[in-house]
């Protein structure tokens, strides 16, 4: 950014790729059972100092603070939450835009994605519903996972009914009212019959999927970033069965050196 005779440099997202064969459990966990008895997804802000949980137990998003970014051992509940029950009673997935001024929820009571605004980025106490939604019922009747590419022009869901991942285009980034189906999907049934959450690396050349049938995270490559039509399985996976036999949510730190899973059986977030 030019400023008189000087320049201020704002670095872009750190590029990373995780090979799941190098993952190990940190023996660090954090219980969210006091907030939700059925946590289904997890998200962080960009520096890992805020964490968010949604679940079917309360159809509510809960906000937590990490005094050291992406260090789950420093997490505490903010006593801040936002109910989404008016939009869906079975909330299963959550995502944010880059600066946290938009929040998105997918649920399988109404099979739709809903859009919210936060007047202060990543502060759930300032959230309000935009009265904007997008139905995915024509593709998936039990949508569970939700993700975007880095500029919000691509959106992805996965779910238990079709065992597929679907790709959508947003003509205006992160504006759900401009979403349309790409006619692109990928069937993961041969790897796991109960896909639940998905995540991408920064440039979209790797995708990671968590499944509840075998309690594993699976790794895929995309020869064209964020284009599901170019996806292939890497024959690499990682078991989280020792932590939870009903894993639901999956997310990575912004530099890819940490992975987090939230499980339904234990109502707990685990760090890897």
């Amino acid at each position: 950014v030019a400023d008189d005779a000087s320049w201020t440099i704002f670095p872009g997202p750190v590029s990373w790729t995780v090979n799941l064969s190098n993952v190990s459990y940190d023996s660090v966990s954090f219980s969210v059972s006091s907030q939700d008895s059925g946590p289904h997804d997890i998200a962080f802000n960009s520096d890992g100092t805020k964490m968010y949980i949604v679940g079917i137990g309360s159809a509510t998003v809960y906000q937590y603070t990490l005094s050291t970014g992406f260090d789950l051992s420093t997490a505490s509940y903010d006593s801040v939450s936002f109910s989404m029950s008016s939009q869906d009673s079975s909330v299963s997935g959550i995502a944010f835009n880059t600066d946290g001024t938009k929040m998105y929820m997918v649920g399988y009571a109404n099979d739709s994605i809903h859009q919210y605004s936060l007047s202060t980025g990543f502060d759930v106490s300032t959230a309000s519903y935009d009265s904007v939604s997008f139905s995915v019922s024509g593709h998936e009747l039990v949508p569970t996972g939700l993700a975007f590419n880095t500029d919000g022009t691509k959106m992805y869901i996965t779910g238990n009914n079709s065992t597929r991942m679907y790709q959508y285009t947003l003509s205006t980034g992160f504006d759900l009212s401009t979403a349309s189906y790409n006619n692109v999907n990928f069937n993961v049934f041969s790897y796991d019959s109960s896909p639940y959450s998905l995540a991408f690396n920064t440039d979209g050349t790797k995708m990671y999927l968590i499944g509840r049938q075998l309690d594993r995270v699976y790794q895929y490559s995309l020869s064209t970033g964020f284009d599901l039509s170019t996806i292939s399985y890497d024959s690499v996976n990682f078991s989280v069965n020792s932590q939870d036999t009903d894993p639901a949510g999956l997310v990575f730190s912004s530099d890819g050196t940490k992975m987090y899973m939230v499980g339904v059986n234990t109502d707990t977030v685990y760090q890897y």
Side-chain angles (χ1 to χ4, degrees):
V1 178
D3 182 14
D4 297 328
S6 64
W7 287 80
T8 301
I9 306 300
F10 294 94
V14 176
S15 181
W16 58 269
T17 297
V18 171
N19 188 327
L20 289 180
S21 62
N22 298 321
V23 176
S24 60
Y25 177 45
D26 281 351
S27 298
V28 175
S29 63
F30 180 77
S31 174
V32 296
S33 60
S34 295
Q35 285 77 57
D36 199 293
S37 59
H40 271 53
D41 205 7
I42 179 174
F44 285 90
N45 68 344
S46 52
D47 65 4
T49 58
K50 294 291 181 182
M51 180 177 74
Y52 310 87
I53 295 290
V54 293
I56 61 170
S58 61
T60 295
V61 55
Y62 297 92
Q63 179 178 303
Y64 305 80
T65 289
L66 289 77
S67 56
T68 300
F70 293 113
D71 182 352
L72 197 59
S73 68
T74 70
S76 60
Y77 179 43
D78 282 353
S79 297
V80 173
S81 63
F82 178 77
S83 175
M84 300 169 165
S85 59
S86 295
Q87 287 76 59
D88 200 293
S89 60
S90 297
V91 175
S92 53
I94 187 173
F96 289 86
N97 70 343
T98 310
D99 63 4
T101 57
K102 292 291 181 182
M103 180 172 67
Y104 308 86
M105 174 271 286
V106 66
Y108 53 79
N110 293 324
D111 305 324
S112 292
I113 302 162
H114 301 268
Q115 178 179 302
Y116 305 81
S117 287
L118 290 79
S119 56
T120 300
F122 292 112
D123 183 351
V124 168
S125 70
T126 70
S128 59
Y129 181 43
D130 284 351
S131 298
V132 174
S133 64
F134 180 78
S135 175
V136 296
S137 61
H139 307 128
E140 177 58 61
L141 296 179
V142 189
T144 53
L146 174 66
F148 289 84
N149 68 345
T150 48
D151 65 3
T153 57
K154 297 290 183 185
M155 181 176 70
Y156 310 84
I157 65 157
T158 191
N160 280 188
N161 185 64
S162 68
T163 67
R164 291 176 181 269
M165 292 175 287
Y166 293 89
Q167 177 178 305
Y168 303 84
T169 291
L170 288 77
S171 56
T172 301
F174 292 112
D175 182 351
L176 195 59
S177 68
T178 69
S180 60
Y181 179 44
N182 263 62
N183 294 313
V184 175
N185 64 78
F186 178 70
N187 195 336
V188 299
F189 180 82
S190 58
Y191 313 109
D192 199 293
S193 63
S194 185
Y196 228 82
S197 185
L198 69 162
F200 290 88
N201 70 340
T202 313
D203 62 7
T205 57
K206 291 288 182 183
M207 191 200 71
Y208 308 89
L209 175 76
I210 198 163
R212 297 171 78 175
Q213 178 200 12
L214 300 178
D215 311 324
R216 293 179 178 271
V217 183
Y218 301 87
Q219 177 181 306
Y220 303 82
S221 289
L222 293 82
S223 56
T224 301
F226 293 111
D227 183 351
L228 284 185
S229 69
T230 69
I231 198 170
S232 59
Y233 180 45
D234 286 350
S235 298
V236 176
N237 61 72
F238 177 78
S239 175
V240 296
N241 180 273
S242 295
Q243 286 74 58
D244 198 294
T245 56
D246 204 358
L250 175 70
V251 71
F252 289 83
S253 62
S254 55
D255 64 0
T257 60
K258 296 291 182 183
M259 181 178 77
Y260 307 84
M261 177 271 289
V262 65
V264 177
N265 275 351
T266 60
D267 304 329
T268 297
V269 183
Y270 299 89
Q271 177 180 302
Y272 304 81

